[in-house]
Amino acid sequence: MSEGIVLLRRRGEERSAIARVDAAAVELLASGQATTLQAARAEVILADLCEQREHMAALLADLRGRAPIGEAQIGEANANLITAINKGIVQIDLFVAQARAYAEEAIPAGQVGDQIDL
């Protein structure tokens, strides 16, 4: 029955973030990996947030692992990047907490983020 869900979008919205989330959520729902569209959306959003956090952590590790170049401007730029990335990771962690709270309302107990960990 869920395979018949067709999300209608206005022209130009096909490439929007919400359209991408909805398309992935419908796939989860159709394959039986989610019980409701709302729960599927929550899982897709959580997975995306966790992926972004992993990417930011990899960037941070790369920056921290670089040998000092000795140029003050480059050192200052790297320090600023490290600070910005740290702030970004903290913000993503806050979004993940909010998404998990939302998911707990949308997904039956025991299924929230089973395969998604930070």
Side-chain angles (χ1 to χ4, degrees), residues 31-45:
S31 67
Q33 296 176 358
T35 55
T36 66
L37 184 58
Q38 184 178 5
R41 284 177 175 149
E43 286 296 326
V44 169
I45 291 167

Side-chain angles (χ1 to χ4, degrees), residues 56 59-60 63 66 74-88:
M56 297 284 279
L59 287 173
L60 185 60
L63 274 173
R66 292 181 182 190
I74 293 176
E76 184 179 345
N78 283 342
N80 289 338
L81 282 172
I82 288 171
T83 299
I85 291 170
N86 278 325
K87 287 179 181 179

